[in-house]
Coordinates of all heavy atoms in Angstrom, one line a residue:
M252 N 89.2 48.2 31.6 CA 89.5 49.4 30.8 C 90.9 49.4 30.2 O 91.1 49.8 29.0 CB 89.3 50.6 31.6 CG 87.8 50.9 32.0 SD 86.7 51.1 30.6 CE 85.3 50.1 31.1
R253 N 91.8 48.9 30.9 CA 93.2 48.8 30.4 C 93.3 47.9 29.2 O 94.0 48.2 28.3 CB 94.1 48.3 31.6 CG 94.7 49.4 32.4 CD 95.7 48.8 33.4 NE 95.8 49.7 34.6 CZ 96.2 49.3 35.7 NH1 96.6 48.1 35.9 NH2 96.3 50.2 36.8
S254 N 92.6 46.7 29.3 CA 92.7 45.8 28.2 C 92.1 46.4 26.9 O 92.6 46.1 25.8 CB 92.0 44.5 28.6 OG 90.7 44.7 28.8
D255 N 91.1 47.2 27.1 CA 90.5 47.9 25.9 C 91.5 48.7 25.2 O 91.6 48.7 24.0 CB 89.3 48.7 26.4 CG 88.0 47.9 26.6 OD1 88.1 46.7 26.2 OD2 87.1 48.4 27.1
A256 N 92.2 49.5 26.0 CA 93.2 50.4 25.4 C 94.3 49.6 24.7 O 94.8 50.0 23.6 CB 93.8 51.3 26.5
L257 N 94.7 48.5 25.3 CA 95.7 47.7 24.7 C 95.3 47.1 23.4 O 96.0 47.1 22.4 CB 96.1 46.5 25.6 CG 97.2 46.8 26.7 CD1 97.4 45.7 27.6 CD2 98.5 47.2 26.0
S258 N 94.1 46.6 23.3 CA 93.6 45.9 22.1 C 93.4 47.0 21.0 O 93.6 46.7 19.8 CB 92.3 45.2 22.3 OG 91.3 46.1 22.7
Y259 N 93.0 48.2 21.4 CA 92.9 49.3 20.4 C 94.2 49.6 19.8 O 94.4 49.7 18.6 CB 92.3 50.5 21.1 CG 92.1 51.7 20.1 CD1 91.2 51.6 19.1 CD2 93.0 52.8 20.2 CE1 91.0 52.7 18.3 CE2 92.8 53.9 19.4 CZ 91.9 53.8 18.4 OH 91.7 54.9 17.5
A260 N 95.3 49.6 20.6 CA 96.6 49.9 20.1 C 97.1 48.8 19.2 O 97.7 49.0 18.1 CB 97.6 50.1 21.3
G261 N 96.7 47.6 19.5 CA 97.1 46.4 18.7 C 96.4 46.5 17.3 O 97.0 46.2 16.3
C262 N 95.2 47.0 17.3 CA 94.5 47.1 16.0 C 95.1 48.2 15.1 O 95.0 48.1 13.9 CB 93.0 47.4 16.3 SG 92.0 46.0 16.8
E263 N 95.6 49.2 15.7 CA 96.1 50.3 14.9 C 97.5 50.0 14.3 O 97.9 50.6 13.4 CB 96.3 51.5 15.9 CG 95.1 52.4 15.8 CD 95.5 53.9 16.1 OE1 96.5 54.1 16.8 OE2 94.8 54.8 15.7
E264 N 98.1 48.9 14.8 CA 99.5 48.6 14.3 C 99.4 48.2 12.8 O 98.6 47.3 12.5 CB 100.0 47.4 15.1 CG 101.5 47.2 15.0 CD 102.3 48.2 15.8 OE1 101.7 48.9 16.7 OE2 103.5 48.2 15.6
P265 N 100.2 48.8 12.0 CA 100.2 48.4 10.5 C 100.8 47.1 10.4 O 101.9 46.8 11.0 CB 100.9 49.5 9.9 CG 101.8 50.1 10.9 CD 101.1 49.9 12.2
H266 N 100.3 46.2 9.5 CA 100.8 44.9 9.3 C 101.5 44.7 8.0 O 102.1 43.6 7.7 CB 99.7 43.9 9.5 CG 99.3 43.7 11.0 ND1 100.1 43.1 11.9 CD2 98.2 44.2 11.6 CE1 99.5 43.2 13.1 NE2 98.3 43.8 12.9
F267 N 101.4 45.6 7.1 CA 101.9 45.4 5.7 C 103.4 45.5 5.6 O 104.0 45.2 4.6 CB 101.2 46.3 4.7 CG 101.5 47.8 5.0 CD1 102.5 48.4 4.3 CD2 100.7 48.5 5.9 CE1 102.7 49.8 4.5 CE2 100.9 49.9 6.1 CZ 101.9 50.5 5.4
L268 N 104.0 46.0 6.7 CA 105.5 46.2 6.7 C 106.2 45.1 7.5 O 107.3 45.3 7.9 CB 105.9 47.5 7.1 CG 105.6 48.7 6.2 CD1 106.1 50.0 6.8 CD2 106.3 48.5 4.9
E269 N 105.5 44.0 7.8 CA 106.1 43.1 8.8 C 107.1 42.1 8.3 O 107.8 41.5 9.1 CB 105.0 42.5 9.7 CG 104.1 41.5 8.9 CD 103.0 41.1 9.8 OE1 102.8 41.6 10.9 OE2 102.2 40.2 9.3
A270 N 107.2 41.9 7.0 CA 108.1 40.9 6.5 C 108.7 41.3 5.1 O 108.0 42.0 4.4 CB 107.5 39.6 6.4
C271 N 109.9 40.9 4.8 CA 110.5 41.2 3.6 C 109.7 40.5 2.4 O 109.3 39.3 2.6 CB 112.0 40.6 3.6 SG 112.8 40.7 2.0
T272 N 109.5 41.2 1.4 CA 108.7 40.7 0.3 C 109.4 39.5 -0.4 O 108.7 38.6 -0.9 CB 108.5 41.8 -0.8 OG1 107.9 42.9 -0.2 CG2 107.6 41.3 -1.9
L273 N 110.7 39.5 -0.4 CA 111.4 38.5 -1.2 C 111.7 37.2 -0.3 O 111.4 36.1 -0.7 CB 112.8 39.0 -1.7 CG 113.4 38.2 -2.7 CD1 112.7 38.3 -4.1 CD2 114.9 38.5 -2.9
C274 N 112.3 37.4 0.9 CA 112.7 36.3 1.7 C 111.9 36.1 2.9 O 112.1 35.2 3.7 CB 114.2 36.4 2.1 SG 114.5 37.7 3.3
S275 N 110.9 36.9 3.1 CA 109.9 36.8 4.2 C 110.6 36.9 5.6 O 110.0 36.5 6.6 CB 109.2 35.5 4.2 OG 108.4 35.4 3.0
K276 N 111.8 37.5 5.7 CA 112.4 37.8 6.9 C 111.6 38.8 7.7 O 111.3 39.8 7.1 CB 113.8 38.2 6.7 CG 114.7 38.5 7.9 CD 116.0 39.0 7.5 CE 116.7 39.7 8.7 NZ 118.0 40.3 8.4
P277 N 111.3 38.6 9.0 CA 110.6 39.6 9.7 C 111.3 40.9 9.8 O 112.5 41.0 10.0 CB 110.5 39.0 11.1 CG 110.8 37.5 11.0 CD 111.7 37.4 9.8
L278 N 110.6 42.0 9.6 CA 111.2 43.3 9.6 C 110.8 44.0 11.0 O 109.7 44.3 11.2 CB 110.7 44.2 8.5 CG 111.0 43.6 7.1 CD1 110.2 44.4 6.0 CD2 112.5 43.7 6.8
G279 N 111.8 44.2 11.8 CA 111.6 44.9 13.1 C 111.5 46.4 12.9 O 111.8 46.9 11.9
H280 N 111.0 47.0 14.0 CA 110.8 48.5 13.9 C 112.2 49.2 13.9 O 112.3 50.3 13.4 CB 110.0 49.0 15.1 CG 108.5 48.6 15.0 ND1 107.7 49.2 14.1 CD2 107.8 47.7 15.6 CE1 106.5 48.7 14.2 NE2 106.5 47.7 15.1
N281 N 113.2 48.5 14.4 CA 114.5 49.2 14.5 C 115.4 48.8 13.3 O 116.5 49.3 13.2 CB 115.2 48.8 15.8 CG 114.4 49.4 17.0 OD1 113.9 50.5 16.9 ND2 114.4 48.6 18.1
S282 N 115.0 47.8 12.5 CA 115.9 47.4 11.4 C 115.6 48.3 10.2 O 114.5 48.9 10.0 CB 115.6 45.9 11.1 OG 114.3 45.7 10.8
D283 N 116.5 48.3 9.3 CA 116.4 49.1 8.0 C 115.3 48.4 7.1 O 115.3 47.2 7.0 CB 117.7 49.1 7.3 CG 118.7 50.0 8.0 OD1 118.2 50.9 8.8 OD2 119.9 49.8 7.8
I284 N 114.5 49.2 6.5 CA 113.5 48.7 5.6 C 113.7 49.4 4.3 O 113.8 50.7 4.2 CB 112.1 48.9 6.1 CG1 111.9 48.2 7.4 CG2 111.0 48.5 5.1 CD1 110.5 48.4 8.1
Y285 N 113.8 48.7 3.2 CA 114.0 49.2 1.9 C 112.8 49.1 1.1 O 112.3 48.0 0.8 CB 115.2 48.5 1.2 CG 116.5 48.6 1.9 CD1 116.8 47.8 3.0 CD2 117.4 49.6 1.6 CE1 118.0 47.9 3.6 CE2 118.6 49.7 2.2 CZ 118.9 48.9 3.3 OH 120.1 49.0 4.0
M286 N 112.2 50.2 0.7 CA 110.9 50.2 0.0 C 111.1 50.2 -1.5 O 112.1 50.7 -2.0 CB 110.1 51.4 0.4 CG 109.6 51.5 1.8 SD 108.7 50.1 2.4 CE 107.2 50.3 1.4
Y287 N 110.2 49.5 -2.2 CA 110.2 49.5 -3.6 C 108.8 49.6 -4.2 O 107.9 49.0 -3.7 CB 110.8 48.1 -4.1 CG 110.8 47.8 -5.5 CD1 111.3 48.8 -6.5 CD2 110.2 46.7 -6.0 CE1 111.2 48.5 -7.8 CE2 110.2 46.4 -7.3 CZ 110.7 47.3 -8.3 OH 110.6 47.0 -9.6
R288 N 108.7 50.5 -5.1 CA 107.4 50.8 -5.8 C 106.3 51.2 -4.7 O 105.2 50.9 -4.9 CB 106.9 49.6 -6.6 CG 107.8 49.5 -7.8 CD 107.2 48.5 -8.8 NE 108.0 48.6 -10.1 CZ 107.8 47.8 -11.1 NH1 106.8 46.9 -11.1 NH2 108.5 47.9 -12.2
G289 N 106.8 51.8 -3.6 CA 105.9 52.4 -2.7 C 105.3 51.5 -1.7 O 104.9 51.9 -0.6
N290 N 105.1 50.2 -2.0 CA 104.4 49.3 -1.0 C 105.1 48.0 -0.8 O 104.5 47.1 -0.1 CB 103.0 49.1 -1.5 CG 102.9 48.4 -2.9 OD1 104.0 48.2 -3.5 ND2 101.7 48.1 -3.4
K291 N 106.3 47.7 -1.3 CA 106.9 46.5 -1.1 C 108.2 46.7 -0.2 O 109.1 47.3 -0.6 CB 107.4 45.8 -2.4 CG 106.2 45.4 -3.2 CD 106.7 44.8 -4.5 CE 105.5 44.3 -5.4 NZ 106.0 43.9 -6.7
P292 N 108.1 46.1 1.0 CA 109.3 46.3 1.9 C 110.3 45.2 1.8 O 109.9 44.0 1.6 CB 108.6 46.3 3.3 CG 107.4 45.4 3.1 CD 107.0 45.5 1.7
F293 N 111.6 45.5 1.9 CA 112.6 44.5 1.8 C 113.6 44.7 3.0 O 113.8 45.8 3.5 CB 113.4 44.6 0.5 CG 112.5 44.3 -0.7 CD1 111.8 45.3 -1.3 CD2 112.4 43.0 -1.1 CE1 111.0 45.0 -2.4 CE2 111.6 42.7 -2.2 CZ 110.9 43.7 -2.8
C294 N 114.2 43.6 3.4 CA 115.1 43.6 4.6 C 116.5 44.2 4.2 O 117.2 44.6 5.1 CB 115.2 42.2 5.2 SG 116.1 41.0 4.1
S295 N 116.8 44.1 2.9 CA 118.2 44.6 2.5 C 118.1 45.1 1.1 O 117.2 44.8 0.3 CB 119.2 43.4 2.6 OG 118.8 42.4 1.7
Q296 N 119.2 45.8 0.7 CA 119.3 46.3 -0.7 C 119.4 45.1 -1.6 O 118.9 45.1 -2.8 CB 120.6 47.1 -0.8 CG 120.4 48.5 -0.3 CD 121.6 49.4 -0.5 OE1 122.7 48.9 -0.2 NE2 121.5 50.6 -1.0
E297 N 120.0 44.0 -1.2 CA 120.2 42.8 -2.1 C 118.8 42.2 -2.4 O 118.6 41.9 -3.6 CB 121.0 41.7 -1.4 CG 122.5 42.0 -1.4 CD 122.9 43.0 -0.3 OE1 122.1 43.3 0.6 OE2 124.0 43.6 -0.3
C298 N 118.0 42.1 -1.4 CA 116.6 41.6 -1.7 C 115.8 42.5 -2.6 O 115.2 42.0 -3.5 CB 115.9 41.4 -0.4 SG 116.3 39.9 0.5
R299 N 115.9 43.8 -2.4 CA 115.2 44.7 -3.2 C 115.7 44.7 -4.7 O 115.0 44.7 -5.6 CB 115.3 46.2 -2.7 CG 114.4 47.1 -3.4 CD 114.5 48.5 -2.8 NE 115.9 49.1 -2.8 CZ 116.2 50.3 -2.5 NH1 115.3 51.1 -2.0 NH2 117.4 50.7 -2.5
Q300 N 117.1 44.6 -4.8 CA 117.7 44.6 -6.1 C 117.2 43.3 -6.9 O 117.0 43.4 -8.1 CB 119.2 44.6 -6.0 CG 119.9 44.8 -7.3 CD 119.6 46.0 -8.0 OE1 119.4 47.1 -7.4 NE2 119.4 46.0 -9.3
E301 N 117.1 42.2 -6.2 CA 116.7 41.0 -6.8 C 115.3 41.1 -7.3 O 114.9 40.7 -8.4 CB 116.8 39.8 -5.9 CG 116.8 38.5 -6.6 CD 117.3 37.3 -5.7 OE1 118.2 37.6 -4.9 OE2 116.8 36.2 -5.9
Q302 N 114.4 41.8 -6.5 CA 113.0 42.0 -7.0 C 113.0 42.9 -8.2 O 112.2 42.6 -9.1 CB 112.2 42.6 -5.8 CG 110.8 42.8 -6.1 CD 110.0 41.5 -6.4 OE1 110.1 40.6 -5.6 NE2 109.4 41.4 -7.5
I303 N 113.8 43.9 -8.2 CA 113.9 44.9 -9.3 C 114.3 44.1 -10.6 O 113.7 44.3 -11.6 CB 114.8 46.0 -9.0 CG1 114.2 46.9 -7.9 CG2 115.1 46.9 -10.3 CD1 115.2 48.0 -7.4
E304 N 115.3 43.3 -10.4 CA 115.8 42.5 -11.6 C 114.8 41.5 -12.1 O 114.6 41.3 -13.3 CB 117.1 41.8 -11.2 CG 118.3 42.8 -11.2 CD 119.6 42.2 -10.6 OE1 119.6 41.0 -10.3 OE2 120.5 42.9 -10.4
N305 N 114.1 40.9 -11.1 CA 113.0 40.0 -11.5 C 111.9 40.7 -12.4 O 111.5 40.3 -13.4 CB 112.3 39.4 -10.3 CG 113.2 38.3 -9.7 OD1 114.1 37.8 -10.3 ND2 112.9 38.0 -8.4
D306 N 111.6 41.9 -11.9 CA 110.5 42.7 -12.6 C 111.0 43.1 -14.0 O 110.3 43.0 -15.0 CB 110.2 44.0 -11.8 CG 109.3 43.6 -10.6 OD1 109.0 42.4 -10.4 OD2 108.9 44.5 -9.9
E307 N 112.3 43.6 -14.0 CA 112.9 44.0 -15.3 C 113.0 42.8 -16.3 O 112.7 42.9 -17.5 CB 114.2 44.6 -15.1 CG 114.1 46.1 -14.6 CD 115.5 46.7 -14.3 OE1 116.5 46.0 -14.4 OE2 115.5 47.9 -13.9
A308 N 113.3 41.7 -15.8 CA 113.4 40.5 -16.6 C 112.1 40.1 -17.2 O 111.9 39.8 -18.3 CB 114.0 39.3 -15.8
G309 N 111.0 40.3 -16.4 CA 109.7 40.0 -16.8 C 109.3 41.0 -17.9 O 108.7 40.6 -18.9
E310 N 109.6 42.2 -17.7 CA 109.2 43.2 -18.8 C 110.0 43.0 -20.1 O 109.5 43.1 -21.1 CB 109.6 44.6 -18.2 CG 108.5 45.1 -17.3 CD 109.0 46.3 -16.4 OE1 110.0 47.0 -16.8 OE2 108.4 46.5 -15.4
R311 N 111.3 42.6 -19.9 CA 112.1 42.3 -21.1 C 111.5 41.1 -21.9 O 111.5 41.1 -23.1 CB 113.6 42.0 -20.7 CG 114.5 43.0 -21.3 CD 115.9 42.7 -20.8 NE 116.3 43.4 -19.6 CZ 117.0 43.0 -18.6 NH1 117.4 41.7 -18.6 NH2 117.3 43.7 -17.6
R312 N 111.1 40.1 -21.1 CA 110.5 38.9 -21.7 C 109.3 39.3 -22.6 O 109.1 38.7 -23.7 CB 110.1 37.9 -20.7 CG 110.6 36.5 -21.0 CD 110.3 35.6 -19.8 NE 111.2 35.7 -18.7 CZ 110.8 35.7 -17.4 NH1 109.6 35.5 -17.1 NH2 111.7 35.8 -16.4
W313 N 108.5 40.2 -22.1 CA 107.4 40.6 -22.9 C 107.8 41.2 -24.2 O 107.3 40.9 -25.3 CB 106.6 41.7 -22.1 CG 105.5 41.1 -21.3 CD1 105.5 40.9 -19.9 CD2 104.3 40.5 -21.7 NE1 104.4 40.3 -19.5 CE2 103.6 40.0 -20.6 CE3 103.7 40.3 -23.0 CZ2 102.4 39.4 -20.7 CZ3 102.5 39.6 -23.1 CH2 101.8 39.2 -21.9
K314 N 108.8 42.1 -24.1 CA 109.3 42.8 -25.4 C 109.8 41.8 -26.4 O 109.5 41.8 -27.5 CB 110.3 43.9 -25.0 CG 109.7 45.1 -24.5 CD 110.8 46.1 -24.0 CE 110.2 47.2 -23.2 NZ 111.2 48.0 -22.5
V315 N 110.7 40.9 -25.8 CA 111.3 39.9 -26.7 C 110.2 39.0 -27.4 O 110.3 38.8 -28.6 CB 112.3 39.0 -25.9 CG1 112.7 37.8 -26.7 CG2 113.5 39.8 -25.5
S316 N 109.2 38.6 -26.6 CA 108.2 37.7 -27.2 C 107.4 38.4 -28.3 O 107.0 37.8 -29.3 CB 107.3 37.1 -26.1 OG 106.6 38.2 -25.5
S317 N 107.1 39.7 -28.1 CA 106.4 40.4 -29.1 C 107.2 40.6 -30.4 O 106.7 40.5 -31.5 CB 105.9 41.8 -28.6 OG 107.0 42.6 -28.4
K318 N 108.5 40.8 -30.2 CA 109.4 40.9 -31.4 C 109.5 39.5 -32.1 O 109.4 39.5 -33.3 CB 110.9 41.2 -30.9 CG 111.3 42.6 -31.2 CD 112.8 42.8 -30.9 CE 113.2 44.2 -31.0 NZ 114.6 44.4 -30.6
K319 N 109.6 38.4 -31.3 CA 109.7 37.1 -31.9 C 108.4 36.8 -32.7 O 108.5 36.2 -33.8 CB 109.8 36.1 -30.8 CG 111.3 35.6 -30.6 CD 111.4 34.4 -29.7 CE 112.8 34.0 -29.5 NZ 112.9 32.9 -28.6
S320 N 107.2 37.1 -32.2 CA 106.0 36.8 -32.9 C 105.9 37.5 -34.3 O 105.4 37.0 -35.3 CB 104.8 37.1 -32.1 OG 104.7 38.5 -31.9
K321 N 106.5 38.8 -34.3 CA 106.6 39.5 -35.6 C 107.5 38.7 -36.6 O 107.1 38.6 -37.8 CB 107.1 40.9 -35.4 CG 106.0 41.9 -35.1 CD 106.6 43.3 -35.0 CE 105.6 44.3 -34.4 NZ 106.2 45.6 -34.1
E322 N 108.7 38.3 -36.1 CA 109.6 37.6 -37.0 C 109.0 36.3 -37.5 O 109.1 35.9 -38.6 CB 110.9 37.3 -36.2 CG 111.8 38.5 -36.2 CD 113.0 38.3 -35.2 OE1 113.2 37.1 -34.9 OE2 113.6 39.3 -34.8
T323 N 108.2 35.6 -36.6 CA 107.6 34.4 -37.0 C 106.6 34.6 -38.1 O 106.5 33.8 -39.1 CB 106.9 33.7 -35.7 OG1 107.9 33.7 -34.7 CG2 106.4 32.3 -36.1
S324 N 105.8 35.7 -38.0 CA 104.8 35.9 -39.0 C 105.4 36.2 -40.3 O 104.9 35.9 -41.4 CB 103.8 37.0 -38.5 OG 104.5 38.2 -38.4
K325 N 106.6 37.0 -40.3 CA 107.3 37.3 -41.5 C 107.8 36.0 -42.2 O 107.6 35.8 -43.4 CB 108.5 38.1 -41.2 CG 108.3 39.6 -41.5 CD 109.6 40.4 -41.4 CE 109.4 41.9 -41.6 NZ 110.6 42.6 -41.4
K326 N 108.4 35.1 -41.3 CA 108.9 33.8 -41.9 C 107.8 33.0 -42.5 O 108.0 32.4 -43.5 CB 109.6 33.1 -40.7 CG 111.1 33.3 -40.6 CD 111.7 32.5 -39.5 CE 113.1 33.0 -39.2 NZ 113.6 32.3 -38.0
S327 N 106.7 32.9 -41.8 CA 105.6 32.1 -42.3 C 105.0 32.6 -43.6 O 104.6 31.9 -44.5 CB 104.5 32.0 -41.3 OG 103.9 33.2 -41.1
E328 N 105.1 33.9 -43.8 CA 104.7 34.5 -45.1 C 105.6 34.0 -46.2 O 105.2 33.6 -47.3 CB 104.8 36.1 -45.0 CG 103.5 36.7 -44.6 CD 103.6 38.2 -44.3 OE1 104.4 38.8 -45.0 OE2 102.9 38.7 -43.5
T329 N 106.9 34.1 -45.9 CA 107.9 33.6 -46.9 C 107.7 32.1 -47.2 O 107.7 31.8 -48.4 CB 109.4 33.8 -46.3 OG1 109.5 35.1 -45.7 CG2 110.4 33.6 -47.4
V330 N 107.4 31.3 -46.2 CA 107.2 29.9 -46.4 C 106.0 29.7 -47.3 O 106.0 29.0 -48.3 CB 107.0 29.2 -45.1 CG1 106.5 27.8 -45.3 CG2 108.3 29.2 -44.3
Q331 N 104.9 30.5 -47.0 CA 103.7 30.4 -47.8 C 103.9 30.7 -49.3 O 103.5 30.0 -50.2 CB 102.6 31.3 -47.3 CG 101.8 30.6 -46.1 CD 100.8 31.6 -45.6 OE1 100.6 32.7 -46.0 NE2 100.0 31.1 -44.6
T332 N 104.7 31.8 -49.5 CA 105.0 32.2 -50.9 C 105.8 31.1 -51.6 O 105.5 30.7 -52.7 CB 105.9 33.5 -50.9 OG1 105.2 34.4 -50.0 CG2 105.9 34.1 -52.3
G333 N 106.8 30.5 -50.9 CA 107.6 29.5 -51.4 C 106.7 28.3 -51.8 O 106.9 27.7 -52.9
T334 N 105.8 27.9 -50.9 CA 104.9 26.8 -51.2 C 104.1 27.0 -52.4 O 103.9 26.1 -53.2 CB 104.0 26.6 -49.9 OG1 104.8 26.6 -48.8 CG2 103.2 25.3 -50.0
L335 N 103.6 28.3 -52.6 CA 102.8 28.6 -53.8 C 103.6 28.4 -55.0 O 103.1 27.8 -56.0 CB 102.4 30.1 -53.7 CG 101.1 30.3 -52.8 CD1 100.8 31.8 -52.7 CD2 99.9 29.6 -53.5
V336 N 104.9 28.9 -55.0 CA 105.7 28.8 -56.2 C 105.9 27.3 -56.5 O 105.8 26.9 -57.7 CB 107.1 29.5 -56.0 CG1 108.1 29.1 -57.1 CG2 106.9 31.0 -55.8
V337 N 106.2 26.5 -55.5 CA 106.4 25.1 -55.7 C 105.2 24.4 -56.3 O 105.3 23.6 -57.3 CB 106.9 24.4 -54.4 CG1 106.8 22.9 -54.6 CG2 108.3 24.8 -54.0
S338 N 104.0 24.7 -55.8 CA 102.8 24.0 -56.2 C 102.4 24.5 -57.6 O 101.7 23.7 -58.4 CB 101.6 24.3 -55.3 OG 101.4 25.7 -55.2
N339 N 102.9 25.7 -58.1 CA 102.6 26.1 -59.4 C 103.5 25.4 -60.4 O 103.3 25.2 -61.5 CB 102.8 27.6 -59.6 CG 101.6 28.4 -58.9 OD1 100.5 27.8 -58.8 ND2 101.8 29.6 -58.6
Ligands
ZN473 ZN1 114.9 39.9 2.4

């Protein structure tokens, strides 16, 4: 009966907070845990800050690439017009 109680307690233990998202350092119950976006635990502010910067860099890359594709289409229009003038 005792072993049943123990295994039940083991099943109830949450496992999603057991390691830092960035460096995979084990997170103890007595150590500080820094949460980010509600579900990502980190062992330190440095690790969390790095994850935030990674996410922001990814979002910035998206914006830059969409801007670039607009510039590229403008340039190719200019090239096409120039080609037309030359062939005429
Ligand atoms: Zn960490």
Side-chain angles (χ1 to χ4, degrees):
M252 287 305 137
R253 268 183 206 162
S254 61
D255 281 349
L257 274 175
S258 65
Y259 179 70
C262 285
E263 266 208 335
E264 197 77 13
H266 288 287
F267 63 97
L268 287 178
E269 61 190 8
C271 172
T272 304
L273 194 76
C274 69
S275 299
K276 182 182 158 184
L278 299 170
H280 287 287
N281 295 323
S282 59
D283 289 336
I284 297 174
Y285 299 85
M286 296 301 294
Y287 172 54
R288 291 193 171 173
N290 60 355
K291 290 178 179 173
F293 296 90
C294 66
S295 65
Q296 282 182 311
E297 284 78 16
C298 279
R299 187 177 60 176
Q300 187 59 37
E301 198 164 327
Q302 181 65 51
I303 291 170
E304 282 169 9
N305 284 345
D306 285 2
E307 283 176 354
E310 282 162 19
R311 241 179 269 139
R312 227 175 283 140
W313 270 108
K314 282 175 192 167
V315 167
S316 65
S317 67
K318 253 188 189 178
K319 262 191 180 174
S320 67
K321 268 183 193 173
E322 278 168 21
T323 308
S324 64
K325 257 189 186 178
K326 267 183 190 171
S327 64
E328 270 173 31
T329 312
V330 168
Q331 276 180 356
T332 313
T334 309
L335 275 173
V336 170
V337 167
S338 62
N339 284 340

